[in-house]
Amino acid sequence: MYGIDNTIKNININNRVYMDQLDFEVDLEKLIVKLSDYDASYEPEQFPGMNFKDKHGLTYLLFGSGKITITGVKYLDNLEEHVQEFKDLIREKSNS
């Protein structure tokens, strides 16, 4: 149309975004103190979620409601196991 070639020739998936949910609410103010040994940050005046980066290169945004957004997913290999590791860590730290 209009002399423009708009055919898509190469598509590369560089990032996927996934959602998950904990079965409990999280007090992010208390949790961030317990995650001082991890790559985690929480600045509620800037953003309502906690940012957490794991050793697998995934980034999790965790909200007080328990909702999780997972970014940085390039491969689906072991994704479920990595997300479960994160959820187990949050449950452990939230209960300690």
Side-chain angles (χ1 to χ4, degrees):
M1 185 171 189
Y2 304 111
I4 299 172
D5 180 12
N6 63 357
T7 304
I8 298 174
K9 298 184 184 197
N10 292 316
I11 296 177
N12 294 319
I13 296 174
N14 294 317
N15 187 25
R16 295 180 176 141
V17 176
Y18 291 89
M19 306 289 291
D20 205 337
Q21 175 79 44
L22 295 170
D23 58 358
F24 59 94
E25 292 185 356
V26 181
D27 183 337
L28 297 176
E29 293 279 351
K30 290 180 182 176
L31 179 63
I32 194 64
V33 173
K34 297 176 183 179
L35 293 174
S36 61
D37 292 337
Y38 297 87
D39 188 359
S41 63
Y42 177 55
E43 299 179 30
E45 62 281 351
Q46 300 292 321
F47 186 72
M50 182 190 75
N51 186 310
F52 183 97
K53 294 184 182 186
D54 74 7
K55 62 185 177 188
H56 309 291
L58 301 178
T59 299
Y60 302 84
L61 299 175
L62 175 63
F63 297 89
S65 64
K67 290 186 180 184
I68 307 168
T69 301
I70 306 141
T71 63
V73 179
K74 294 183 180 180
Y75 308 102
L76 297 178
D77 299 342
N78 303 316
L79 176 63
E80 287 184 37
E81 290 91 358
H82 299 328
V83 172
Q84 191 59 51
E85 283 176 20
F86 172 74
K87 291 168 73 173
D88 290 346
L89 174 67
I90 299 305
R91 182 177 304 281
E92 174 192 327
K93 297 295 183 180
S94 293
N95 291 328
S96 63

